């Protein structure tokens, strides 16, 4: 899966250096302050979060738009649900 083209990122969350479940917790808190339909880009270097954050996003009514790996960093793009 690649970075979605034409995707406007409303917020960027740098969760590098944090271990699961903290990237998911911080993503959840960030999404609370965002409007439905907005996109967040989450940066993580935690391998468990790479697997679990997309699952968590979709299980909580959000949309996984893309996942891009660049060296040790993974960029995960999530659209907040409820606003389309």
């Amino acid at each position: 899966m690649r970075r979605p083209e034409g995707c406007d990122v409303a917020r960027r969350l740098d969760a590098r250096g944090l271990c699961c479940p903290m990237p998911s917790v911080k993503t959840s808190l960030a999404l609370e302050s965002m409007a439905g339909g907005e996109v967040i880009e989450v940066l993580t270097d935690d391998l468990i979060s790479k697997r679990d954050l997309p699952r968590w996003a979709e299980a909580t009514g959000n949309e996984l738009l893309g996942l891009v790996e660049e060296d040790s960093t993974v960029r995960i793009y999530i659209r907040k649900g409820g606003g389309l």
Side-chain angles (χ1 to χ4, degrees):
M1 190 176 282
R2 301 183 54 86
R3 179 182 181 170
E5 291 186 28
C7 174
D8 292 327
V9 174
R11 185 160 180 184
R12 180 168 291 119
L13 172 66
D14 188 349
R16 291 177 288 186
L18 300 176
C19 297
C20 188
M22 288 312 294
S24 295
V25 170
K26 289 194 170 278
T27 301
S28 176
L29 292 173
L31 286 171
E32 286 181 13
S33 66
M34 296 172 61
E38 288 187 324
V39 176
I40 186 169
E41 176 186 48
V42 182
L43 283 67
T44 183
D45 54 4
D46 178 50
L47 294 178
I48 295 173
S49 293
K50 172 187 167 189
R51 179 194 68 204
D52 288 355
L53 190 54
R55 292 179 184 167
W56 170 87
E58 294 191 326
T60 55
N62 301 293
E63 179 184 3
L64 175 66
L65 297 176
L67 187 148
V68 178
E69 294 186 56
E70 298 173 344
D71 299 321
S72 63
T73 298
V74 179
R75 298 174 184 271
I76 301 171
Y77 298 89
I78 299 169
R79 182 184 317 275
K80 182 175 179 176
L84 298 177

